[in-house]
Amino acid sequence: QSALTQPASVSGSPGQSITISCTGTSSDIGGYNYLSWYQQHPGKAPKLLIYDVSNRPSGVSNRFSGSKSGNTASLTISGLQAEDEADYYCNSYSTNRILLFGGGTKLTVL
Amino acid sequence: EVQLLESGGGLVQPGGSLRLSCAASGGTFSNYAMNWVRQAPGKGLEWVSVINGGGDGTFYADSVKGRFTISRDDSKNTLYLQMNSLRGEDTALYYCARDFRRGSGWSPDGMDLWGQGTTVTVSS
């Protein structure tokens, strides 16, 4: 049960776009479309941003978008804002009926 | 608006037990799969367990299998996590989280409702 692989940190300036990758295997990301992304501000509970690879729940800004290619998923944030500074986690269903999280990516808005 | 409130955390010695609860207020969580997710201090999220919407299917991370038991009482709108044989590496903030889709099974699309967490510390 290895965690999914995310970059430890990414950064961008206000207004720019950034992409966070999440790499797994054919047993998790590559095998299923149960891929979600979460945003977590310090001291707060996680918030669902994307479900089923590329769908946004009601109320989530369309600046957040998700995609997948093979064993790698991506979260793109466009028009970066100061409030986007947070930790981001990917999550995927895996064989043997478990869920795996990525190690998390700290986004810094410069 | 449904809210989730965890309780039952605390300080426990290695080898000890605790039972966490997660109560839903302002609505029901019946027919939603419910999860426990934990976060060790300064670390990332780790999925712990899920119980399906019908209450008849449970799944666990390898790290807790055989030691933790998830259950639910829909008449009380409450989710539980019985934790036995606790270890230092179980020290974490434990969140309960509701699955996005309603149903009697488990469709792991995402978790859209989270509590604020309850802290478990395992130390002698």
Side-chain angles (χ1 to χ4, degrees), chain B residues 36-84:
Chain B
W36 288 99
V37 175
R38 67 185 181 184
Q39 188 167 32
K43 302 297 184 182
L45 301 174
E46 180 188 13
W47 177 80
V48 172
S49 181
V50 65
I51 184 167
N52 67 10
D56 57 357
T58 58
F59 306 100
Y60 300 90
D62 283 353
S63 57
V64 306
K65 196 175 295 182
R67 300 187 298 124
F68 290 11
T69 302
I70 191 171
S71 62
R72 64 191 297 159
D73 184 340
D74 287 353
S75 67
K76 296 181 178 180
N77 275 340
T78 304
L79 173 74
Y80 303 99
L81 185 68
Q82 178 66 44
M83 305 186 296
N84 299 330

Side-chain angles (χ1 to χ4, degrees), chain A residues 1 34 38 40 45 51-52, chain B residues 39 62 95 101 109 111 115:
Chain A
Q1 287 185 354
Y34 293 128
Y38 299 86
Q40 187 181 34
Y51 68 94
D52 293 349
Chain B
Q39 188 167 32
D62 283 353
Y95 294 101
R101 292 199 192 280
D109 305 90
M111 294 169 271

Side-chain angles (χ1 to χ4, degrees), chain A residues 4-77:
Chain A
L4 307 174
T5 300
Q6 297 182 232
S9 63
V10 298
S11 63
S13 299
Q16 287 186 331
S17 294
I18 63 94
T19 296
I20 299 171
S21 62
C22 172
T23 301
T25 69
S26 58
S27 295
D28 37 71
I29 294 177
Y32 307 93
N33 286 326
Y34 293 128
L35 191 289
S36 52
W37 288 92
Y38 299 86
Q39 176 192 62
Q40 187 181 34
H41 287 108
K44 301 295 186 181
K47 173 187 176 183
L48 178 65
L49 292 178
I50 298 288
Y51 68 94
D52 293 349
V53 178
S54 59
N55 296 287
R56 283 185 307 276
S58 174
V60 172
S61 171
N62 60 8
R63 297 188 299 107
F64 297 92
S65 61
S67 63
K68 187 184 85 165
S69 177
N71 297 337
T72 299
S74 298
L75 173 71
T76 298
I77 309 174

